Coordinates of all heavy atoms in Angstrom, one line a residue:
M1 N -8.4 14.0 6.5 CA -7.6 13.7 5.4 C -8.0 12.4 4.6 O -7.3 11.6 4.3 CB -6.1 13.5 5.9 CG -5.1 13.3 4.9 SD -3.4 13.4 5.4 CE -3.4 13.0 7.1
T2 N -9.3 12.3 4.3 CA -9.9 11.2 3.6 C -9.8 11.5 2.1 O -10.1 12.6 1.7 CB -11.3 11.0 4.0 OG1 -11.4 10.8 5.4 CG2 -11.9 9.8 3.4
I3 N -9.4 10.4 1.4 CA -9.3 10.6 -0.1 C -10.5 9.9 -0.7 O -10.8 8.7 -0.4 CB -8.0 10.0 -0.6 CG1 -6.8 10.8 0.0 CG2 -7.9 9.9 -2.1 CD1 -5.5 10.2 -0.3
N4 N -11.1 10.5 -1.7 CA -12.2 9.9 -2.4 C -11.7 9.0 -3.5 O -11.0 9.5 -4.4 CB -13.1 11.0 -3.0 CG -14.3 10.5 -3.7 OD1 -14.4 9.3 -3.9 ND2 -15.2 11.4 -4.0
P5 N -11.9 7.7 -3.4 CA -11.3 6.8 -4.4 C -11.8 7.0 -5.8 O -11.1 6.7 -6.7 CB -11.8 5.4 -3.9 CG -12.7 5.6 -2.8 CD -12.7 7.1 -2.4
T6 N -12.9 7.7 -6.0 CA -13.3 7.9 -7.4 C -12.6 9.0 -8.0 O -12.6 9.1 -9.3 CB -14.9 8.2 -7.4 OG1 -15.1 9.3 -6.6 CG2 -15.7 7.0 -6.9
T7 N -12.0 9.9 -7.3 CA -11.3 11.1 -7.8 C -9.8 10.8 -8.0 O -9.1 11.6 -8.6 CB -11.5 12.3 -7.0 OG1 -10.9 12.1 -5.7 CG2 -12.9 12.7 -6.9
S8 N -9.4 9.7 -7.5 CA -7.9 9.3 -7.6 C -7.8 8.0 -8.3 O -8.2 7.0 -7.9 CB -7.4 9.2 -6.1 OG -6.1 8.8 -6.2
S9 N -7.1 8.1 -9.5 CA -6.9 7.0 -10.3 C -5.5 6.3 -9.9 O -4.5 7.0 -9.9 CB -6.9 7.4 -11.8 OG -6.3 6.4 -12.6
L10 N -5.6 5.1 -9.6 CA -4.3 4.4 -9.2 C -4.0 3.2 -10.2 O -4.9 2.6 -10.7 CB -4.5 3.8 -7.8 CG -4.7 4.7 -6.6 CD1 -5.0 4.0 -5.4 CD2 -3.5 5.6 -6.5
G11 N -2.7 2.9 -10.3 CA -2.3 1.8 -11.1 C -1.5 0.8 -10.2 O -1.2 1.1 -9.1
L12 N -1.2 -0.3 -10.8 CA -0.5 -1.3 -10.0 C 0.8 -0.9 -9.5 O 1.3 -1.3 -8.4 CB -0.4 -2.6 -10.8 CG -1.7 -3.4 -11.0 CD1 -1.4 -4.6 -11.9 CD2 -2.3 -3.9 -9.7
T13 N 1.5 0.0 -10.2 CA 2.8 0.5 -9.8 C 2.7 1.4 -8.6 O 3.7 1.8 -8.0 CB 3.5 1.2 -10.9 OG1 2.7 2.3 -11.4 CG2 3.8 0.2 -12.1
D14 N 1.5 1.9 -8.2 CA 1.3 2.8 -7.1 C 1.3 2.0 -5.8 O 1.4 2.6 -4.7 CB 0.0 3.5 -7.2 CG 0.0 4.5 -8.3 OD1 1.1 5.1 -8.6 OD2 -1.0 4.7 -9.0
F15 N 1.2 0.7 -5.8 CA 1.2 -0.2 -4.6 C 2.6 -0.8 -4.4 O 3.2 -1.2 -5.4 CB 0.1 -1.3 -4.8 CG -1.2 -0.8 -4.8 CD1 -1.8 -0.3 -6.0 CD2 -2.0 -0.7 -3.7 CE1 -3.1 0.1 -6.1 CE2 -3.3 -0.2 -3.7 CZ -3.9 0.2 -4.9
A16 N 2.9 -1.0 -3.1 CA 4.2 -1.6 -2.8 C 4.0 -2.4 -1.5 O 3.3 -2.0 -0.6 CB 5.3 -0.6 -2.6
H17 N 4.7 -3.6 -1.5 CA 4.7 -4.4 -0.2 C 5.6 -3.6 0.7 O 6.6 -2.9 0.3 CB 5.3 -5.8 -0.5 CG 4.3 -6.6 -1.2 ND1 3.3 -7.3 -0.5 CD2 4.2 -6.9 -2.5 CE1 2.6 -8.0 -1.4 NE2 3.1 -7.8 -2.6
F18 N 5.3 -3.8 2.0 CA 6.1 -3.0 3.0 C 7.6 -3.2 2.9 O 8.3 -2.2 3.0 CB 5.6 -3.3 4.5 CG 6.5 -2.7 5.5 CD1 6.4 -1.3 5.7 CD2 7.4 -3.4 6.2 CE1 7.2 -0.6 6.6 CE2 8.2 -2.7 7.1 CZ 8.1 -1.4 7.3
P19 N 8.1 -4.4 2.8 CA 9.6 -4.5 2.8 C 10.2 -3.8 1.6 O 11.3 -3.1 1.8 CB 9.8 -6.0 2.6 CG 8.6 -6.7 3.1 CD 7.5 -5.7 2.8
D20 N 9.6 -3.8 0.4 CA 10.1 -3.1 -0.7 C 10.0 -1.6 -0.5 O 11.0 -0.9 -0.8 CB 9.3 -3.5 -2.0 CG 9.4 -5.0 -2.3 OD1 10.5 -5.6 -2.0 OD2 8.5 -5.5 -2.9
F21 N 8.9 -1.1 0.1 CA 8.7 0.3 0.3 C 9.7 0.8 1.3 O 10.3 1.9 1.2 CB 7.3 0.5 0.8 CG 7.0 2.0 0.9 CD1 6.8 2.8 -0.2 CD2 6.8 2.6 2.2 CE1 6.5 4.1 -0.1 CE2 6.5 3.9 2.3 CZ 6.3 4.7 1.2
A22 N 10.0 0.0 2.4 CA 11.0 0.4 3.4 C 12.4 0.5 2.8 O 13.1 1.5 3.1 CB 11.0 -0.7 4.5
R23 N 12.8 -0.4 2.0 CA 14.1 -0.3 1.3 C 14.1 0.9 0.5 O 15.1 1.7 0.4 CB 14.4 -1.6 0.5 CG 14.8 -2.7 1.3 CD 15.4 -3.8 0.4 NE 14.4 -4.4 -0.5 CZ 13.5 -5.4 -0.1 NH1 13.6 -5.9 1.1 NH2 12.6 -5.9 -1.0
E24 N 13.1 1.2 -0.3 CA 13.0 2.4 -1.1 C 13.1 3.7 -0.3 O 13.9 4.6 -0.7 CB 11.7 2.4 -1.9 CG 11.5 3.4 -3.0 CD 10.2 3.3 -3.7 OE1 9.6 2.2 -3.6 OE2 9.8 4.3 -4.3
C25 N 12.4 3.7 0.8 CA 12.5 4.9 1.7 C 13.9 5.1 2.3 O 14.4 6.2 2.4 CB 11.4 4.8 2.8 SG 9.8 5.2 2.2
E26 N 14.5 4.0 2.7 CA 15.8 4.1 3.3 C 16.8 4.6 2.3 O 17.7 5.4 2.5 CB 16.2 2.8 4.0 CG 15.5 2.6 5.3 CD 16.0 1.4 6.1 OE1 16.3 0.4 5.5 OE2 16.1 1.5 7.3
R27 N 16.7 4.0 1.1 CA 17.7 4.3 0.0 C 17.5 5.8 -0.4 O 18.5 6.5 -0.6 CB 17.4 3.5 -1.2 CG 18.3 3.6 -2.4 CD 18.1 2.6 -3.5 NE 16.7 2.5 -4.0 CZ 15.9 1.5 -3.8 NH1 16.3 0.4 -3.1 NH2 14.7 1.5 -4.2
N28 N 16.3 6.4 -0.3 CA 16.1 7.8 -0.7 C 16.2 8.7 0.6 O 15.9 9.9 0.4 CB 14.8 7.9 -1.4 CG 14.8 7.3 -2.8 OD1 15.7 7.6 -3.5 ND2 13.8 6.5 -3.1
K29 N 16.5 8.1 1.7 CA 16.6 8.9 3.0 C 15.3 9.6 3.3 O 15.3 10.8 3.8 CB 17.8 9.8 2.9 CG 19.1 9.1 2.7 CD 20.3 10.0 2.8 CE 21.6 9.4 2.6 NZ 21.9 8.1 2.5
I30 N 14.2 9.0 3.1 CA 12.9 9.5 3.5 C 12.6 9.2 4.9 O 12.1 10.0 5.7 CB 11.8 8.9 2.5 CG1 12.1 9.2 1.1 CG2 10.4 9.4 2.9 CD1 11.9 10.6 0.6
A31 N 12.7 7.9 5.2 CA 12.5 7.4 6.6 C 13.2 6.1 6.8 O 13.5 5.4 5.8 CB 11.0 7.2 6.8
T32 N 13.5 5.7 8.0 CA 14.1 4.4 8.3 C 13.0 3.4 8.4 O 11.8 3.7 8.5 CB 14.9 4.5 9.6 OG1 13.9 4.7 10.7 CG2 15.9 5.6 9.7
K33 N 13.4 2.1 8.3 CA 12.5 1.0 8.5 C 11.8 1.1 9.8 O 10.6 0.8 9.9 CB 13.2 -0.3 8.3 CG 12.3 -1.5 8.4 CD 13.0 -2.8 8.1 CE 12.1 -4.0 8.2 NZ 12.8 -5.3 8.0
A34 N 12.5 1.4 10.9 CA 12.0 1.5 12.2 C 10.9 2.6 12.3 O 9.8 2.4 12.9 CB 13.0 1.8 13.2
Q35 N 11.1 3.8 11.6 CA 10.1 4.8 11.6 C 8.9 4.4 10.9 O 7.7 4.6 11.4 CB 10.7 6.1 10.9 CG 11.7 6.8 11.7 CD 12.3 7.9 10.9 OE1 12.7 7.7 9.7 NE2 12.5 9.1 11.5
L36 N 9.1 3.7 9.8 CA 7.9 3.2 9.0 C 7.1 2.2 9.8 O 5.9 2.2 9.8 CB 8.4 2.6 7.7 CG 8.9 3.6 6.7 CD1 9.6 2.9 5.5 CD2 7.8 4.5 6.1
Q37 N 7.8 1.3 10.5 CA 7.1 0.3 11.3 C 6.3 0.9 12.4 O 5.2 0.5 12.7 CB 8.2 -0.7 11.9 CG 8.7 -1.7 10.9 CD 9.9 -2.5 11.5 OE1 10.7 -2.0 12.3 NE2 9.9 -3.7 11.0
W38 N 6.9 2.0 13.0 CA 6.2 2.7 14.1 C 4.9 3.3 13.5 O 3.8 3.2 14.1 CB 7.1 3.8 14.7 CG 6.4 4.5 15.8 CD1 5.8 5.7 15.7 CD2 6.3 4.1 17.2 NE1 5.4 6.1 17.0 CE2 5.7 5.1 17.9 CE3 6.7 3.0 17.8 CZ2 5.4 5.0 19.2 CZ3 6.5 2.9 19.2 CH2 5.8 3.9 19.9
W39 N 5.0 4.0 12.4 CA 3.8 4.6 11.7 C 2.8 3.6 11.4 O 1.6 3.8 11.6 CB 4.2 5.4 10.5 CG 5.0 6.7 10.8 CD1 5.0 7.4 11.9 CD2 5.9 7.3 9.9 NE1 5.8 8.5 11.8 CE2 6.4 8.5 10.6 CE3 6.4 7.0 8.6 CZ2 7.4 9.3 10.0 CZ3 7.3 7.9 8.0 CH2 7.8 9.0 8.7
L40 N 3.2 2.5 10.9 CA 2.3 1.4 10.5 C 1.6 0.7 11.7 O 0.5 0.4 11.7 CB 3.0 0.3 9.6 CG 3.3 0.8 8.2 CD1 4.0 -0.2 7.4 CD2 2.0 1.2 7.5
R41 N 2.4 0.6 12.8 CA 1.8 0.1 14.0 C 0.6 0.9 14.5 O -0.4 0.4 15.0 CB 2.9 0.0 15.1 CG 2.4 -0.6 16.4 CD 3.5 -0.8 17.4 NE 4.4 -1.8 17.0 CZ 5.7 -1.6 17.0 NH1 6.3 -0.5 17.4 NH2 6.5 -2.6 16.6
Y42 N 0.7 2.2 14.3 CA -0.4 3.1 14.8 C -1.1 3.7 13.6 O -1.6 4.8 13.6 CB 0.3 4.2 15.7 CG 0.8 3.7 16.9 CD1 2.2 3.4 17.1 CD2 0.0 3.3 18.0 CE1 2.7 2.9 18.2 CE2 0.5 2.7 19.1 CZ 1.8 2.5 19.2 OH 2.3 1.9 20.4
R43 N -1.3 2.9 12.5 CA -1.9 3.4 11.3 C -3.4 3.8 11.5 O -3.8 4.7 10.8 CB -1.8 2.3 10.2 CG -2.5 1.0 10.5 CD -2.1 -0.1 9.5 NE -2.6 -1.4 9.8 CZ -1.8 -2.3 10.6 NH1 -0.7 -1.9 11.0 NH2 -2.3 -3.5 10.8
R44 N -4.1 3.2 12.4 CA -5.5 3.7 12.7 C -5.5 5.0 13.4 O -6.4 5.8 13.1 CB -6.2 2.6 13.5 CG -6.5 1.4 12.7 CD -7.2 0.3 13.6 NE -7.4 -0.9 12.8 CZ -6.5 -1.8 12.5 NH1 -5.3 -1.7 13.0 NH2 -6.8 -2.9 11.8
E45 N -4.6 5.2 14.3 CA -4.6 6.5 15.1 C -4.0 7.6 14.3 O -4.4 8.8 14.5 CB -3.8 6.3 16.4 CG -4.4 5.3 17.4 CD -4.1 3.8 17.1 OE1 -3.4 3.5 16.2 OE2 -4.5 3.0 17.9
N46 N -3.0 7.4 13.5 CA -2.3 8.5 12.8 C -2.9 8.9 11.5 O -2.4 9.8 10.8 CB -0.8 8.2 12.7 CG -0.5 7.0 11.8 OD1 -1.2 6.6 11.0 ND2 0.7 6.5 12.1
G47 N -3.9 8.2 11.0 CA -4.6 8.5 9.8 C -4.1 7.8 8.5 O -4.6 8.0 7.4
L48 N -3.1 7.0 8.6 CA -2.6 6.3 7.5 C -3.6 5.4 6.8 O -3.8 5.3 5.6 CB -1.3 5.4 7.8 CG 0.0 6.1 7.7 CD1 1.1 5.1 8.3 CD2 0.3 6.4 6.3
L49 N -4.4 4.7 7.7 CA -5.4 3.8 7.1 C -6.6 4.6 6.6 O -7.1 4.3 5.5 CB -5.9 2.9 8.3 CG -6.6 1.6 7.9 CD1 -5.7 0.7 7.0 CD2 -6.9 0.8 9.1
A50 N -7.1 5.6 7.3 CA -8.2 6.4 6.8 C -7.9 7.2 5.6 O -8.8 7.4 4.7 CB -8.6 7.4 7.9
S51 N -6.6 7.5 5.4 CA -6.3 8.3 4.2 C -6.1 7.4 2.9 O -6.0 7.9 1.8 CB -4.9 9.0 4.4 OG -3.9 8.1 4.5
G52 N -6.1 6.1 3.1 CA -5.9 5.2 2.0 C -4.5 5.0 1.6 O -4.1 4.4 0.6
A53 N -3.6 5.5 2.5 CA -2.1 5.3 2.2 C -1.7 3.9 2.5 O -0.6 3.5 2.0 CB -1.3 6.3 3.1
V54 N -2.4 3.2 3.3 CA -2.1 1.8 3.7 C -3.4 1.0 3.4 O -4.5 1.4 3.8 CB -1.7 1.6 5.1 CG1 -1.5 0.2 5.5 CG2 -0.4 2.4 5.4
V55 N -3.2 -0.2 2.8 CA -4.3 -1.1 2.6 C -4.0 -2.4 3.3 O -2.9 -2.9 3.2 CB -4.5 -1.4 1.0 CG1 -5.5 -2.4 0.8 CG2 -4.8 -0.1 0.3
E56 N -4.9 -2.8 4.1 CA -4.8 -4.1 4.8 C -5.6 -5.2 4.0 O -6.7 -5.0 3.7 CB -5.4 -4.0 6.2 CG -4.7 -3.1 7.2 CD -5.5 -3.0 8.5 OE1 -6.7 -3.4 8.6 OE2 -4.8 -2.7 9.5
K57 N -4.9 -6.3 3.7 CA -5.5 -7.3 3.0 C -5.1 -8.6 3.6 O -4.0 -9.0 3.7 CB -5.1 -7.3 1.5 CG -5.7 -8.3 0.6 CD -7.2 -7.9 0.4 CE -7.9 -8.9 -0.5 NZ -9.3 -8.7 -0.5
K58 N -6.2 -9.4 4.1 CA -5.9 -10.7 4.6 C -5.7 -11.7 3.5 O -6.6 -11.7 2.5 CB -7.0 -11.1 5.5 CG -7.0 -10.4 6.8 CD -7.7 -11.1 7.9 CE -7.5 -10.4 9.2 NZ -7.9 -11.1 10.3
I59 N -4.7 -12.5 3.5 CA -4.5 -13.5 2.5 C -5.6 -14.6 2.5 O -6.1 -15.0 1.4 CB -3.1 -14.2 2.8 CG1 -2.0 -13.2 3.0 CG2 -2.8 -15.3 1.7 CD1 -1.3 -12.8 1.8
N60 N -6.1 -15.0 3.7 CA -7.2 -15.8 3.8 C -7.9 -15.5 5.1 O -7.4 -14.8 6.0 CB -6.8 -17.3 3.7 CG -5.9 -17.7 4.8 OD1 -6.2 -17.6 6.0 ND2 -4.7 -18.3 4.5
P61 N -9.2 -15.9 5.2 CA -10.0 -15.6 6.4 C -9.3 -16.0 7.8 O -9.6 -15.3 8.8 CB -11.3 -16.3 6.2 CG -11.4 -16.5 4.8 CD -10.0 -16.7 4.3
S62 N -8.5 -17.0 7.8 CA -7.9 -17.4 9.1 C -6.6 -16.7 9.4 O -6.0 -17.0 10.4 CB -7.7 -19.0 9.0 OG -6.8 -19.3 8.0
S63 N -6.1 -15.9 8.5 CA -4.9 -15.1 8.8 C -5.1 -14.2 10.0 O -6.1 -13.5 10.1 CB -4.5 -14.2 7.6 OG -4.3 -15.0 6.4
K64 N -4.0 -14.2 10.8 CA -4.1 -13.4 12.0 C -3.7 -11.9 11.7 O -4.2 -11.0 12.2 CB -3.2 -13.9 13.1 CG -3.7 -15.2 13.7 CD -2.9 -15.7 14.8 CE -3.5 -17.0 15.3 NZ -3.4 -17.3 16.6
R65 N -2.7 -11.8 10.8 CA -2.2 -10.4 10.4 C -2.5 -10.2 9.0 O -2.3 -11.1 8.1 CB -0.7 -10.3 10.7 CG -0.4 -10.4 12.2 CD 1.1 -10.1 12.3 NE 1.4 -10.1 13.7 CZ 2.6 -9.8 14.2 NH1 3.5 -9.4 13.4 NH2 2.8 -9.8 15.5
P66 N -2.9 -9.0 8.6 CA -3.1 -8.7 7.2 C -1.8 -8.4 6.5 O -0.8 -7.9 7.2 CB -4.0 -7.5 7.3 CG -3.6 -6.8 8.5 CD -3.3 -7.9 9.5
M67 N -1.8 -8.6 5.2 CA -0.7 -8.1 4.4 C -0.9 -6.6 4.3 O -2.0 -6.1 4.1 CB -0.7 -8.8 3.0 CG 0.3 -8.3 2.1 SD 0.2 -9.2 0.5 CE -1.5 -8.8 -0.1
L68 N 0.2 -5.8 4.4 CA 0.1 -4.4 4.3 C 0.7 -3.9 3.0 O 1.8 -4.2 2.6 CB 0.8 -3.7 5.4 CG 0.3 -4.0 6.8 CD1 1.2 -3.3 7.9 CD2 -1.1 -3.6 7.0
L69 N -0.1 -3.2 2.2 CA 0.3 -2.6 1.0 C 0.3 -1.1 1.2 O -0.6 -0.5 1.7 CB -0.7 -3.0 -0.1 CG -0.8 -4.4 -0.5 CD1 -1.9 -4.7 -1.5 CD2 0.5 -4.9 -1.2
I70 N 1.4 -0.5 0.7 CA 1.5 1.0 0.8 C 1.1 1.5 -0.6 O 1.5 1.1 -1.6 CB 3.0 1.3 1.0 CG1 3.6 0.6 2.2 CG2 3.1 2.8 1.2 CD1 2.9 0.8 3.5
V71 N 0.3 2.6 -0.5 CA -0.1 3.2 -1.8 C 0.7 4.5 -1.8 O 0.5 5.5 -1.1 CB -1.6 3.6 -1.7 CG1 -2.1 4.3 -3.0 CG2 -2.5 2.4 -1.5
R72 N 1.8 4.4 -2.7 CA 2.8 5.5 -2.8 C 2.3 6.9 -2.8 O 2.6 7.7 -2.0 CB 3.7 5.2 -3.9 CG 4.7 4.1 -3.7 CD 5.6 4.0 -4.9 NE 6.6 2.9 -4.7 CZ 6.5 1.7 -5.2 NH1 5.5 1.4 -6.0 NH2 7.4 0.8 -5.0
P73 N 1.4 7.3 -3.8 CA 1.0 8.7 -3.9 C 0.2 9.1 -2.6 O 0.3 10.3 -2.2 CB 0.1 8.7 -5.1 CG -0.1 7.4 -5.6 CD 0.9 6.5 -4.9
R74 N -0.6 8.2 -2.1 CA -1.4 8.6 -0.9 C -0.5 8.7 0.4 O -0.7 9.5 1.3 CB -2.5 7.6 -0.6 CG -3.5 7.8 -1.8 CD -4.7 6.8 -1.6 NE -5.6 7.0 -2.7 CZ -6.6 6.2 -2.9 NH1 -6.9 5.2 -2.1 NH2 -7.4 6.3 -3.9
F75 N 0.6 7.8 0.4 CA 1.5 7.9 1.5 C 2.3 9.2 1.5 O 2.4 9.9 2.5 CB 2.5 6.7 1.5 CG 3.4 6.7 2.7 CD1 3.0 6.0 3.8 CD2 4.6 7.3 2.7 CE1 3.8 5.9 4.9 CE2 5.4 7.3 3.8 CZ 5.0 6.6 4.9
I76 N 2.7 9.6 0.3 CA 3.4 10.9 0.2 C 2.5 12.0 0.6 O 2.9 13.0 1.3 CB 3.9 11.1 -1.3 CG1 5.0 10.1 -1.6 CG2 4.4 12.5 -1.5 CD1 5.3 9.9 -3.0
E77 N 1.2 12.0 0.2 CA 0.3 13.0 0.6 C 0.1 13.0 2.1 O 0.1 14.1 2.8 CB -1.1 12.8 -0.1 CG -2.1 13.9 0.2 CD -3.4 13.7 -0.5 OE1 -3.4 13.1 -1.6 OE2 -4.4 14.2 0.0
W78 N 0.0 11.8 2.7 CA -0.1 11.7 4.2 C 1.1 12.3 4.9 O 1.0 13.0 5.8 CB -0.3 10.3 4.6 CG -0.3 10.1 6.1 CD1 -1.4 10.3 7.0 CD2 0.8 9.7 6.9 NE1 -1.0 10.0 8.2 CE2 0.4 9.7 8.2 CE3 2.1 9.5 6.6 CZ2 1.2 9.4 9.3 CZ3 3.0 9.2 7.7 CH2 2.5 9.1 9.0
L79 N 2.3 11.9 4.3 CA 3.5 12.4 4.9 C 3.6 13.9 4.9 O 4.1 14.5 5.9 CB 4.7 11.7 4.2 CG 6.1 11.9 4.8 CD1 6.1 11.3 6.2 CD2 7.1 11.2 3.9
T80 N 3.2 14.5 3.8 CA 3.4 16.0 3.7 C 2.3 16.7 4.4 O 2.5 17.9 4.8 CB 3.3 16.4 2.2 OG1 2.1 15.9 1.6 CG2 4.5 15.9 1.4
N81 N 1.2 16.0 4.7 CA 0.1 16.7 5.5 C -0.1 16.2 6.9 O -1.0 16.7 7.6 CB -1.2 16.5 4.7 CG -1.2 17.2 3.3 OD1 -0.7 18.3 3.2 ND2 -1.7 16.6 2.3
S82 N 0.7 15.3 7.3 CA 0.4 14.7 8.7 C 0.6 15.6 9.8 O 0.0 15.5 10.9 CB 1.2 13.4 8.9 OG 2.6 13.7 8.8
H83 N 1.4 16.7 9.6 CA 1.7 17.6 10.7 C 0.4 18.4 11.0 O 0.2 18.8 12.1 CB 2.8 18.6 10.3 CG 2.5 19.5 9.2 ND1 2.5 19.0 7.9 CD2 2.1 20.7 9.1 CE1 2.2 20.0 7.0 NE2 1.9 21.0 7.7
T84 N -0.5 18.6 10.0 CA -1.7 19.3 10.2 C -2.7 18.5 11.1 O -3.5 19.0 11.8 CB -2.4 19.8 8.9 OG1 -2.6 18.6 8.1 CG2 -1.5 20.7 8.2
A85 N -2.7 17.1 10.9 CA -3.6 16.3 11.7 C -3.2 16.2 13.1 O -4.0 16.1 14.0 CB -3.6 14.9 11.1
A86 N -1.9 16.4 13.4 CA -1.5 16.3 14.8 C -1.7 17.6 15.6 O -1.7 17.6 16.8 CB 0.0 16.0 14.8
A87 N -1.9 18.7 14.9 CA -2.1 20.0 15.5 C -3.5 20.2 16.1 O -4.4 19.5 15.9 CB -1.9 21.1 14.5

């Protein structure tokens, strides 16, 4: 489920910080904050990182944890196709 970045045009509104995205998902009854945290904890194993649905960005080189940005269209694609990756 790898996305070619050259075929997918993204804008700044396609990116969201995790807290904002979690509130948006809970408001729309897509997922709870706890579910999202679980998926993000295992982002390497479940394909979120490889699909480009999550971007890790360190604020500075000495940061221990990266800032996580959610790419909305790619997250939706991952969510709708993630059952095929588990099979």
